[in-house]
Amino acid sequence: MSRLLLIAARNLLQHRGRTLMLGSAIALVTLLLVLLTSVSRGVQDTMLRAATTIATGHVNIAGFYKITSGQAAPVVTRYEPLVKWVRQEVPEARLVVDRLRGWGKLISPTASVQVGVRGVDIDAEPELARVLSIVQGDLRGLRRPNTALLFAKQAEKLAVRVGDTLTLSAPTVRGANNAVDVEVVAIARNLGLLSQFNIFAPKQTVREIYLLKRDTTGAIQLLLRDPSRAAGVAERLRAGLTRQGYRLLDAQAEPFWMKIPIVTREDWTGQKLDVTTWRDELAMLTWILTAFDTVTVVVVGILLVIIVIGVMNALWISIRERTREIGTLRAIGMGRGRVLLMFMLESGLLALGATTIGALLGVAGAHLLNAARIELSPGFAIFLMSDTLQLAVWPRAVVGAAALISGVITCFALYPAYRAARLRPVLALHDVG
Amino acid sequence: MPEPLSEPPSAERIVQLEGVRKDYRLGAVVVPALRALDLTISRGEFSAIAGPSGSGKTTLLNLIGCVDVATAGRVTVAGQETGQLSDRALTRLRLFQIGFIFQSFNLVPVLTALQNIEFPLLLQGGIGRAERHERVRALLARVGLGDHAEHRPGELSGGQRQRVAIARALVTRPALVLADEPTANLDSKTGGTIIELMQQLNEQDGTTFLFSTHDQQVIKHAHRVIRLVDGQIAA
Ligand SMILES: Nc1ncnc2c1ncn2[C@@H]1O[C@H](COP(=O)(O)OP(=O)(O)O)[C@@H](O)[C@H]1O
Ligand SMILES: [Mg+2]
């Protein structure tokens, strides 16, 4: 009934001071929630972009091959039919590629570093050209065998430039060390933590070092159109692979190299596959996101409690002030449901108006912070994989924040409103004398 | 003496009280406000309940107005026994059969005069906007506030507010209008015009009015005076 809405709106206007105070508090908490979720989302996006460039797909099919029960190589044998199957099985993937994974020592005349070696087919991964920012050399150099792409920090440490040759030495599955010479063809800008420990090389070069056959790869990596679907897709792949007769490792939220010693100790031989998500592969880093989100929940939770108390209190005052009015309306024939509705509309309008304003301010604030390009301290830069603070405004999170806060306020307003609805109509006639 | 069962429930009889008692409880203390009261109000009456403060006038009007129920006895309003009805049914009975005029006017402060008068029609539902406004405007004119439709209660004098309240009570064309000391918060001249207005509406439309007062000036307008003393009707 629109007249009840009018009464609610006018009562809010009538008590401008109270409305403004509560409204500002609600708006402020909404703003804060929007900003915090945008920071979290921004960090996640940046992390995800860097990580999916260097270390993982949104979903991966990897695994281990054990020649004897005491040795485990992080490889997938006879992977080509698998790739074909994955392409059919996961239509929401926008890219399915395979990469080899290795771990070795990169040696220059003056220094050496331990690095993960990512064996890529540069032509199959257009994404790389987009995300890596090359400071020296040319990414296409990786088309040639025995080449490597380094990150700036590594090049600095090894004191090499594009055109120099390095030795890559790695222990093979059978225990002996194998070494190849690689030419530095490109140097890319740092991408935080992961870029300190990884280089890119052509697939063929990695196979050579590890004496792997052509039908063997390290991992099949899927990039999804919507990364938030990763867990569901992984679940589906696990089920599908089991149905196909593949043996699978139990799901475990750890990067593949943490699993090597465990798998090595296990008593089986042959191939087992492992389906992981980017969150699993970055388990060492995603705790940052978890910690941040926890802080967000706690802070916003506490503020929400304060606000809910404020709103309930204001409603109690409003109901006490308007006891006679409520009694009158009940006396002239207004039902309890409508009294309830009248007060729910009052708090609902306040909550909706204030959260909308707060959400809009939050979005504006996020854009301002992005425009300000706030520098991160080096420690944070490594973990968050970005030099500047990046906020990502996610419409669903913004609407969700406003809806959540409105919803909570409305829920707690139910009780005072219910009590108002139970007021007896006889109160309208309580006059002295 | 109980009435013979053969007599049909008369359409002439809008209110009937039989052996009505009302006690208020204040903790352990029981305050008897009405004792063994019998009363009949017929359609078209213009009657006053008179009595000193504390004699039970408000209590009686509350029972007749279906905003409270008797401790014992039977209250029948518009053919319905109120002690048997749910809150929802009582609410409907009030909405469709009864109009209220209060001592303190009790208008909704954030609504205009027009919106206040229109409100019961909105609660009833089923009447189009055009007809609603026509009815409200006609009533506003009859109570002499044709120019004050858009004023809020805060912008009106006491007498004007009570006129709005009268219009609100009448807008649903109720069978019965109850007024608890409608002139008590007004000066005697304004109070006189309010009673005259009520009387006029009673004469023109035949609406039943039952009002309480302890003002002799007001009492003399009534066709019938019900005198209350200590919760009982005086002979
Ligand atoms: N809500 C109440 N609780 C307790 N006692 C009440 C209440 N309302 C009225 N009474 C008592 O009932 C008696 C009748 O009161 P009331 O009907 O208000 O009389 P009047 O309207 O004639 O002044 C008085 O003694 C009054 O104190
Ligand atoms: Mg009284």
Side-chain angles (χ1 to χ4, degrees):
Chain A
M1 196 164 113
S2 66
R3 194 49 47 90
L4 294 182
L5 196 65
L6 183 76
I7 293 178
R10 286 197 178 155
N11 270 306
L12 285 171
L13 284 177
Q14 194 82 16
H15 302 100
R16 219 159 290 141
R18 195 195 296 162
T19 304
L20 267 179
M21 202 181 73
L22 274 176
S24 313
I26 296 169
L28 220 68
V29 175
T30 313
L31 180 146
L32 192 69
L33 183 56
V34 167
L35 279 183
L36 290 176
T37 50
S38 298
V39 168
S40 171
R41 183 76 191 177
V43 168
Q44 181 174 322
D45 283 358
T46 339
M47 253 188 191
L48 190 60
R49 202 175 318 122
T52 49
T53 304
I54 298 174
T56 172
H58 294 137
V59 182
N60 311 293
I61 299 178
F64 296 91
Y65 188 85
K66 298 182 66 162
I67 302 167
T68 68
S69 73
Q71 293 168 323
V75 296
V76 177
T77 51
R78 283 193 290 276
Y79 73 95
E80 270 152 341
L82 250 179
V83 170
K84 211 172 284 168
W85 176 79
V86 168
R87 288 212 168 101
Q88 276 174 12
E89 192 71 13
V90 189
E92 57 265 64
R94 69 183 152 81
L95 191 66
V96 179
V97 293
D98 72 282
R99 285 184 180 183
L100 283 119
R101 295 162 155 183
W103 178 255
K105 193 185 253 183
L106 201 54
I107 307 159
S108 80
T110 56
S112 69
V113 289
Q114 291 283 347
V115 290
V117 186
R118 307 283 164 172
V120 295
D121 174 356
I122 197 67
D123 291 320
E125 300 204 37
E127 202 93 354
L128 276 182
R130 219 169 319 133
V131 185
L132 289 177
S133 110
I134 305 296
V135 291
Q136 204 188 1
D138 190 344
L139 200 58
R140 284 168 297 185
L142 289 175
R143 284 174 184 162
R144 284 184 281 124
N146 298 349
T147 53
L149 173 144
L150 275 56
F151 287 93
K153 188 112 183 194
Q154 300 157 347
E156 195 184 313
K157 208 162 175 183
L158 295 166
V160 292
R161 319 166 31 116
V162 167
D164 292 349
T165 300
L166 295 165
T167 301
L168 182 56
S169 159
T172 63
V173 184
R174 293 176 201 286
N177 263 9
N178 196 7
V180 292
D181 281 353
V182 291
E183 179 196 340
V184 179
V185 291
I187 296 172
R189 240 180 81 189
N190 290 329
L191 273 177
L193 192 60
L194 289 172
S195 65
Q196 297 197 345
F197 302 110
N198 286 287
I199 66 165
F200 287 100
K203 282 202 233 175
Q204 188 48 40
T205 305
V206 181
R207 288 202 178 102
E208 242 166 68
I209 300 172
Y210 288 100
L211 310 170
L212 298 173
K213 283 191 282 188
R214 271 205 58 89
D215 68 352
T216 300
T217 193
I220 298 165
Q221 303 190 349
L222 289 76
L223 289 185
L224 305 178
R225 277 182 206 93
D226 177 4
S228 65
R229 290 261 170 88
V233 170
E235 211 42 55
R236 213 165 75 222
L237 285 176
R238 284 187 162 276
L241 288 170
T242 310
R243 246 183 286 118
Q244 298 273 313
Y246 287 98
R247 293 190 294 167
L248 291 180
L249 290 180
D250 293 335
Q252 200 144 29
E254 277 175 352
F256 82 94
W257 48 268
M258 297 266 294
K259 294 176 181 169
I260 295 176
I262 301 164
V263 172
T264 305
R265 280 197 303 273
E266 287 174 3
D267 184 27
W268 50 270
T269 55
Q271 178 76 56
K272 272 197 186 181
L273 294 182
D274 188 19
V275 180
T276 62
T277 64
W278 66 275
R279 275 190 177 270
D280 301 334
E281 297 289 336
L282 296 181
M284 321 287 286
L285 295 178
T286 46
W287 68 267
I288 296 176
L289 292 175
T290 312
F292 190 87
D293 290 346
T294 309
V295 170
T296 300
V297 167
V298 169
V299 168
V300 172
I302 291 170
L303 292 177
L304 254 183
V305 168
I306 296 170
I307 278 181
V308 160
I309 291 172
V311 170
M312 283 179 84
N313 201 43
L315 266 191
W316 283 128
I317 294 172
S318 182
I319 289 162
R320 177 167 299 184
E321 284 170 356
R322 286 160 65 190
T323 298
R324 179 196 294 275
E325 181 184 326
I326 297 162
T328 303
L329 293 175
R330 292 284 286 116
I332 67 172
M334 183 151 130
R336 282 177 179 159
R338 282 180 165 155
V339 176
L340 183 91
L341 181 63
M342 188 168 79
F343 283 93
M344 292 309 290
L345 282 173
E346 195 171 321
S347 57
L349 266 184
L350 174 68
L352 211 67
T355 52
T356 304
I357 290 169
L360 291 177
L361 288 177
V363 171
H367 285 297
L368 277 178
L369 286 174
N370 273 344
R373 304 203 130 271
I374 295 168
E375 296 267 336
L376 289 172
S377 68
F380 276 114
I382 282 182
F383 275 111
L384 304 189
M385 304 186 192
S386 167
D387 305 334
T388 55
L389 183 65
Q390 291 289 326
L391 285 76
V393 176
W394 192 30
R396 236 162 64 191
V398 174
V399 174
L404 172 84
I405 293 176
S406 299
V408 168
I409 290 172
T410 308
C411 274
F412 281 93
L414 257 174
Y415 182 59
Y418 170 79
R419 292 293 298 268
R422 303 290 299 188
L423 285 176
R424 297 179 328 127
V426 68
L427 293 169
L429 293 95
H430 266 188
D431 285 299
V432 197
Chain B
M1 195 179 107
E3 281 171 321
L5 283 171
S6 59
E7 194 185 72
S10 169
E12 287 307 305
R13 203 172 290 154
I14 179 76
V15 176
Q16 183 156 23
L17 275 67
E18 299 159 272
V20 165
R21 209 179 77 225
K22 177 68 183 176
D23 298 332
Y24 289 109
R25 260 172 208 292
L26 283 174
V29 186
V30 175
V31 183
L34 296 176
R35 323 157 191 252
L37 204 125
D38 295 310
L39 178 65
T40 303
I41 306 287
S42 305
R43 284 186 196 270
E45 276 192 33
F46 191 76
S47 303
I49 303 169
S53 186
S55 58
K57 304 185 293 295
T58 299
T59 304
L60 179 57
L61 281 171
N62 283 350
L63 295 184
I64 296 171
C66 307
V67 294
D68 208 348
V69 287
T71 311
R74 205 145 44 143
V75 178
T76 312
V77 177
Q80 305 207 52
E81 204 188 318
T82 63
Q84 310 288 318
L85 298 179
S86 66
D87 178 79
R88 184 183 291 266
L90 287 172
T91 305
R92 272 188 75 79
L93 191 57
R94 293 195 298 268
L95 177 58
F96 285 91
Q97 302 289 347
I98 302 170
F100 283 94
I101 299 165
F102 304 94
Q103 178 179 331
S104 309
F105 325 130
N106 294 18
L107 300 173
V108 179
V110 296
L111 295 182
T112 63
L114 185 141
Q115 288 167 336
N116 263 289
I117 299 169
E118 185 190 14
F119 203 81
L121 292 181
L122 288 170
L123 290 175
Q124 285 189 339
I127 305 169
R129 186 188 154 86
E131 196 197 331
R132 273 196 325 260
H133 281 209
E134 197 182 315
R135 258 160 95 165
V136 172
R137 294 224 174 252
L139 264 175
L140 269 168
R142 279 180 83 182
V143 299
L145 288 175
D147 303 333
H148 294 74
E150 298 307 323
H151 289 243
R152 294 215 196 160
E155 301 159 350
L156 298 172
S157 71
Q160 288 171 327
R161 283 187 228 178
Q162 199 59 305
R163 285 163 189 274
V164 174
I166 290 172
R168 177 178 66 182
L170 288 169
V171 75
T172 57
R173 297 174 183 154
L176 171 68
V177 175
L178 302 174
D180 192 19
E181 312 221 20
T183 61
N185 281 4
L186 301 171
D187 62 78
S188 58
K189 184 159 166 283
T190 314
T193 60
I194 289 293
I195 282 297
E196 276 160 22
L197 173 63
M198 285 165 50
Q199 197 167 7
Q200 199 185 331
L201 292 164
N202 164 260
E203 279 162 11
Q204 287 169 359
D205 306 342
T207 310
T208 315
F209 276 82
L210 181 62
F211 55 95
S212 73
T213 185
H214 54 249
D215 180 346
Q216 287 307 317
Q217 288 300 108
V218 173
I219 290 172
K220 70 171 196 254
H221 287 268
H223 299 163
R224 171 184 167 200
V225 180
I226 301 147
R227 292 196 185 277
L228 274 186
V229 179
D230 282 341
Q232 280 176 308
I233 295 177

